Amino acid sequence: LGLGLYLLMKTGYTVVENTAALGKKAGISSMALGVGLGVLTSMPELVVSTAALAAGDASIAISNITGSNIANLMLILGATATLKKIESKGMSWKFNAAAMLGATAILGAQMAVGFLNPVAGGLMLGALGLYLWKSYKIAQKDAASEKAEAGKQPAPGTREEAAALAEKAKKDAENAEQEKKKPEMKAPKW
């Protein structure tokens, strides 16, 4: 048991370290990488739920997902927060919180009705695709904003960047005009 826990912790640390390094090289934000890891680590739940449904036990399929989500939120995030303060920065956090609330509401509504049907399942898969795309786009903007803030430059595509570019162009034009007005220095004839 002790060896298993040690190997699990070591593997988790290695995955995080390598994922962060890959993200920096590829220019992908930590939030987007975390979402990707979350999707990949959900594959075992997909297999268990599919097997449970194939065996005719929908209760295991539903409780597997709800239990996993509750454990991820309360146990994993809670335990992590006890070790170190987690600060929310950028729009990614707000978007992910809203998406989680929306997904929970959709599941809750389906459970209140008493069934999940293929149409609802298809809509949920479509919503997942939309979520992943939008999450990636927002994470890109957050990464650009963080990079700009680190270098004290305005983030690309913002009003601040447009104003800074306009100011630079104005200064460049003024400098060029002043260069034209300077008297030409001629070398003395000897």
Side-chain angles (χ1 to χ4, degrees):
L1 181 64
L3 177 64
L5 284 174
Y6 170 77
L7 290 174
L8 186 61
M9 289 175 61
K10 192 73 170 161
T11 303
Y13 181 75
T14 303
V15 167
V16 169
E17 213 174 52
N18 290 330
T19 301
L22 176 67
K24 284 183 183 178
K25 285 181 183 177
I28 301 171
S29 76
S30 297
M31 183 65 78
L33 290 169
V35 168
L37 281 174
V39 170
L40 288 175
T41 59
S42 292
M43 292 303 123
E45 282 118 0
L46 176 63
V47 171
V48 168
S49 292
T50 303
L53 285 175
D57 198 341
S59 294
I60 289 178
I62 295 294
S63 58
N64 173 46
I65 298 305
T66 55
S68 173
N69 287 335
I70 291 168
N72 282 331
L73 215 116
M74 302 300 184
L75 173 65
I76 297 169
L77 197 55
T80 306
T82 62
L83 299 175
K84 186 174 181 183
K85 179 180 176 182
I86 301 173
E87 293 185 31
S88 62
K89 296 178 184 175
M91 287 302 297
S92 294
W93 284 84
K94 294 174 185 171
F95 172 72
N96 284 316
M100 189 171 14
L101 285 172
T104 303
I106 290 170
L107 176 63
Q110 290 296 310
M111 291 174 76
V113 171
F115 63 88
L116 287 156
N117 62 30
V119 173
L123 290 173
M124 290 168 84
L125 288 174
L128 173 63
L130 180 63
Y131 162 75
L132 291 173
W133 174 78
K134 187 71 174 167
S135 182
Y136 177 74
K137 290 296 190 183
I138 290 172
Q140 281 183 318
K141 287 181 182 179
D142 282 352
S145 294
E146 286 176 18
K147 187 176 180 181
E149 190 173 306
K152 299 300 180 204
Q153 297 173 359
T158 62
R159 286 187 212 130
E160 291 82 10
E161 180 195 37
L165 290 173
E167 185 65 29
K168 184 181 181 313
K170 182 179 173 184
K171 285 183 181 179
D172 289 346
E174 288 173 358
N175 289 340
E177 193 64 36
Q178 286 180 355
E179 288 294 320
K180 287 181 187 177
K181 290 181 181 178
K182 283 185 181 177
E184 213 175 290
M185 299 286 285
K186 294 184 180 180
K189 293 181 183 178
W190 301 92

